[in-house]
């Protein structure tokens, strides 16, 4: 069953995430479960997510879902913008709501860190030494 598209291609926050995520070596975009997913061999971030609270779905359309090292995930859980995304949280993923106040350099650092947790070593080497 195909999922309905759950994002607007003209969303300026999606464009911010897209420009950061696709600048990483070997990164591509696909639509997964109706949302943009950025990946190499594995997904390193999603745009948009949801969580279930008291049996009701709570949508987070302007959010990034990241796979970070456990210590960073634990620290990010303390941020009021964070949430545990449905289905992905048990595998170590965390969501972060975004808005016009979101710091661009913080967002770039988080997306890069998520990329580093799943990207192949050869692509991480390219990231660390673009001349290679």
């Amino acid at each position: 069953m195909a999922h309905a598209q759950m994002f607007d291609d003209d969303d300026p926050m999606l464009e911010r995430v897209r420009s950061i995520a696709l600048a990483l070596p070997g990164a591509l975009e696909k639509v997964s479960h109706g949302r943009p997913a950025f990946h190499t061999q594995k997904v390193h971030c999603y745009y948009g997510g949801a969580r279930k609270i008291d049996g009701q779905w709570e949508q987070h359309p302007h959010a990034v879902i990241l796979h970070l090292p456990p210590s960073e995930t634990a620290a990010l859980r303390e941020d009021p913008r964070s949430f545990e995304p449905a289905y992905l949280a048990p595998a170590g993923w965390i969501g972060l709501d975004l808005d016009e106040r979101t710091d661009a350099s913080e967002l770039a650092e988080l997306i890069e860190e998520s990329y580093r947790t799943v990207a192949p070593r050869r692509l991480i080497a390219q990231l660390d030494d673009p001349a290679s």
Side-chain angles (χ1 to χ4, degrees):
M1 176 175 114
H3 292 346
Q5 181 170 311
M6 300 172 73
F7 63 96
D8 178 359
D9 255 329
D10 296 328
D11 178 349
M13 197 57 63
L14 170 56
E15 188 49 44
R16 286 177 70 184
V17 170
R18 184 179 275 146
S19 66
I20 294 166
L22 292 178
L24 297 165
L28 300 169
E29 180 179 352
K30 65 182 177 180
V31 175
S32 176
H33 296 88
R35 300 193 188 273
F38 302 93
H39 65 98
T40 58
Q41 292 175 347
K42 296 180 181 179
V43 173
H44 63 269
C45 73
Y46 295 90
Y47 182 72
R51 66 179 171 170
K52 207 168 200 179
I53 299 188
D54 298 327
Q56 300 296 315
W57 285 104
E58 178 182 282
Q59 297 298 319
H60 293 260
H62 306 287
V64 66
I65 311 299
L66 306 159
H67 189 271
L68 300 170
S71 62
E72 290 187 43
T73 299
L76 201 53
R77 274 195 188 101
E78 301 301 316
D79 190 314
R81 302 171 297 164
S82 72
F83 64 96
E84 292 191 1
Y87 306 109
L88 297 171
W93 293 78
I94 190 160
L96 183 68
D97 286 320
L98 307 173
D99 63 24
E100 63 282 343
R101 297 168 295 175
T102 301
D103 182 80
S105 60
E106 175 193 27
L107 181 59
E109 287 174 20
L110 290 169
I111 291 172
E112 180 182 317
E113 191 62 37
S114 186
Y115 173 89
R116 288 177 180 279
T117 68
V118 298
R121 280 182 272 182
R122 65 180 172 72
L123 294 177
I124 293 171
Q126 282 183 301
L127 181 61
D128 292 337
D129 182 13
S132 66

